């Protein structure tokens, strides 16, 4: 019994002397661990003479309960103290305004693509998406460029390791896809998307860039419809006073083919740095769809006619914002991208 009394005293003194949580845990191991003194004392009940056994057992249990409660509350106090210390040392002013989350934005190419798309949508053009991986047949042959046709040199091509499979060099193969799907119904679509060319990268040319192709097929679709569409588009995008000039050109899949210029948005035709003194900016290639191409799309060229145009989105953005280097678009430099 006197062993029990001294155990109680020692344990309580030790508990009160614990400086921190780690100390408390050590204390707990010492008294309540597998070889802990309290548990050993309880086990000793078997060695006590039978007459004293009951009292001994009761006393041992009382001490066990008492120490357990004392330990629990000491631990709770210690945790509270640590928390308060922590709150004081790393004081946090919850009334300060929060830091704003940085908002993302759409890439300038996406913004302009959507802007241009919505202008054509207002004019009744649907959006038709077609594949970026094309076959030689659709990218060239069905557009009137048989193998070895010299006009293929206009588009330096990325070929894949699969013969006849390539990255489209323009959105024009989409003309074939949409015609074959829609014929003999009339068509008024734009075909937006990425194109690829195996070119030296310079300030003016990239190996990837976006185009928007336009295609209208129907009865009596004429060059004046093409002109009217382009002028309306240029004025919606660049301002109502824009003048448009049409030059004769060549594309294998249109006849006649034209190149469309717009009077310079900086100098309105007087001549400046942007238009290199000419007063004009080139905005797209276009023309009347060649009968053989209509036929390849499933349309009877004696009944139907059509116009097509194609423009580079990045070129348009460069004109709109005065960007002088096309390489900025895919360089992922936030200093550039955050300006839009
Ligand atoms: N596909 C042509 C190019 O990439 C542009 C174009 C489209 C020309 C439609 C005429 C008609 O250069």
């Amino acid at each position: 019994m006197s062993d029990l009394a001294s155990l109680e005293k020692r344990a309580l003194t030790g508990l009160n002397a614990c400086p921190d949580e780690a100390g408390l845990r050590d204390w707990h191991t010492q008294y309540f661990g597998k070889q802990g003194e309290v548990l050993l004392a309880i086990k000793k009940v078997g060695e006590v003479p039978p007459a004293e056994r009951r009292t001994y057992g009761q006393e041992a249990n009382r001490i066990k309960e008492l120490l357990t409660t004392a330990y629990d509350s000491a631990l709770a106090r210690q945790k509270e103290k640590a928390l308060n210390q922590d709150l004081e040392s790393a004081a946090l002013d919850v009334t300060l305004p929060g830091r704003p989350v940085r908002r993302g934005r759409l890439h300038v190419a996406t913004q302009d693509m959507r802007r241009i798309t919505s202008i054509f949508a207002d004019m009744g053009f649907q959006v038709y998406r077609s594949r970026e991986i094309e076959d030689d047949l659709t990218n060239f042959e069905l557009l009137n460029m048989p193998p070895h046709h010299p006009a293929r040199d206009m588009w330096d091509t990325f070929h894949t390791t699969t013969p006849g499979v390539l990255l489209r060099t323009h959105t024009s193969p989409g003309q074939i896809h949409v015609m074959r799907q829609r014929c003999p119904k009339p068509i008024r679509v734009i075909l937006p998307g990425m194109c690829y060319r195996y070119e030296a990268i310079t300030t003016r040319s990239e190996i990837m860039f976006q185009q928007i192709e336009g295609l209208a097929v129907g009865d009596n679709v004429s060059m004046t419809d093409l002109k009217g569409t382009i002028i309306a588009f240029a004025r919606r995008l660049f301002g109502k006073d824009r003048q448009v000039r049409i030059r004769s050109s060549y594309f294998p899949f249109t006849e006649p083919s034209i190149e469309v210029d717009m009077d310079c948005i900086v100098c309105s035709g007087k001549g400046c740095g942007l238009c290199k003194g000419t007063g004009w900016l080139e905005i797209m290639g276009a023309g009347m769809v060649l009968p053989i191409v209509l036929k390849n799309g499933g349309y009877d060229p004696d009944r139907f006619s059509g116009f097509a145009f194609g423009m580079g989105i990045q070129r348009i953005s460069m004109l709109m914002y005065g960007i002088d280097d096309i390489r900025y678009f895919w360089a992922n430099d936030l200093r550039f991208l955050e300006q839009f």
Side-chain angles (χ1 to χ4, degrees):
M1 287 299 277
S2 69
D3 284 353
L4 282 181
S6 84
L7 170 63
E8 178 179 4
K9 214 167 146 219
R10 248 188 319 115
L12 282 175
T13 318
L15 187 66
N16 289 331
C18 286
D20 52 17
E21 197 181 322
L24 284 171
R25 302 226 179 259
D26 287 346
W27 179 92
H28 193 261
T29 316
Q30 186 187 340
Y31 292 97
F32 286 91
K34 271 202 191 117
Q35 298 297 318
E37 294 187 35
V38 173
L39 300 184
L40 291 179
I42 290 174
K43 271 191 198 148
K44 265 196 191 140
V45 76
E47 300 165 19
V48 176
E52 290 170 30
R53 213 170 266 171
R54 198 177 133 87
T55 338
Y56 182 93
Q58 278 173 350
E59 183 62 4
N61 269 321
R62 186 191 62 78
I63 291 173
K64 181 185 164 206
E65 299 285 308
L66 179 113
L67 291 178
T68 304
T69 319
Y71 170 76
D72 286 346
S73 57
L75 191 62
R77 269 199 314 277
Q78 186 56 51
K79 282 191 168 162
E80 170 97 10
K81 201 173 116 196
L83 178 65
N84 283 332
Q85 267 171 6
D86 193 42
L87 285 176
E88 266 166 44
S89 64
L92 172 71
D93 184 353
V94 292
T95 64
L96 281 173
R99 296 193 190 96
V101 175
R102 270 162 60 107
R103 292 185 66 190
R105 68 189 70 214
L106 293 176
H107 193 285
V108 56
T110 307
Q111 289 180 34
D112 288 346
M113 183 67 104
R114 290 189 179 180
R115 213 145 129 192
I116 294 170
T117 302
S118 76
I119 292 173
F120 284 110
D122 285 350
M123 292 194 265
F125 285 79
Q126 295 176 309
V127 175
Y128 189 95
R129 292 190 174 275
S130 81
R131 62 190 66 151
E132 290 176 21
I133 313 263
E134 265 300 351
D135 48 26
D136 187 275
L137 187 72
T138 323
N139 195 81
F140 291 120
E141 278 190 56
L142 295 173
L143 293 172
N144 193 36
M145 282 174 278
H148 311 300
H149 191 289
R152 286 189 176 210
D153 289 349
M154 291 167 77
W155 296 275
D156 298 300
T157 309
F158 280 113
H159 296 273
T160 68
T161 46
T162 310
V165 177
L166 44 83
L167 302 187
R168 68 175 172 193
T169 57
H170 50 174
T171 42
S172 300
Q175 291 185 27
I176 301 291
H177 291 296
V178 68
M179 281 194 285
R180 289 190 166 179
Q181 198 183 80
R182 297 282 171 86
C183 81
K185 292 191 201 118
I187 292 177
R188 200 190 289 165
V189 293
I190 51 169
L191 306 125
M194 199 62 83
C195 305
Y196 304 86
R197 286 186 200 170
Y198 183 51
E199 282 185 25
I201 299 174
T202 69
T203 55
R204 301 273 306 153
S205 64
E206 253 286 8
I207 57 172
M208 58 186 269
F209 55 92
Q210 294 169 305
Q211 282 191 337
I212 284 193
E213 184 96 2
L215 176 70
V217 179
D219 297 317
N220 301 317
V221 174
S222 69
M223 191 79 172
T224 53
D225 297 319
L226 174 59
K227 265 179 75 176
T229 305
I230 294 172
I231 292 170
F233 163 73
R235 292 186 179 163
R236 275 285 301 275
L237 190 62
F238 289 104
K240 62 179 171 37
D241 299 324
R242 291 277 72 85
Q243 296 299 312
V244 164
R245 172 177 89 168
I246 279 168
R247 280 180 289 122
S248 160
S249 184
Y250 171 76
F251 295 102
F253 34 88
T254 47
E255 171 73 63
S257 298
I258 58 170
E259 206 90 47
V260 183
D261 300 337
M262 178 180 75
D263 63 329
C264 177
I265 48 179
V266 170
C267 65
S268 294
K270 287 186 221 43
C272 70
L274 182 65
C275 59
K276 300 197 179 68
T278 63
W280 295 93
L281 303 167
E282 188 186 313
I283 56 170
M284 64 172 81
M288 298 308 291
V289 181
L290 206 66
I292 182 76
V293 175
L294 283 171
K295 213 161 145 191
N296 289 340
Y299 287 83
D300 175 1
D302 292 332
R303 249 205 73 196
F304 290 95
S305 56
F307 69 69
F309 57 82
M311 67 185 129
I313 304 304
Q314 279 68 61
R315 290 276 168 86
I316 300 279
S317 300
M318 288 169 82
L319 297 180
M320 275 198 304
Y321 310 114
I323 299 166
D324 56 11
D325 192 332
I326 200 170
R327 293 171 296 188
Y328 284 128
F329 285 94
W330 318 129
N332 279 343
D333 187 336
L334 289 180
R335 290 170 302 178
F336 171 75
L337 296 172
E338 283 178 342
Q339 294 179 56
F340 305 95

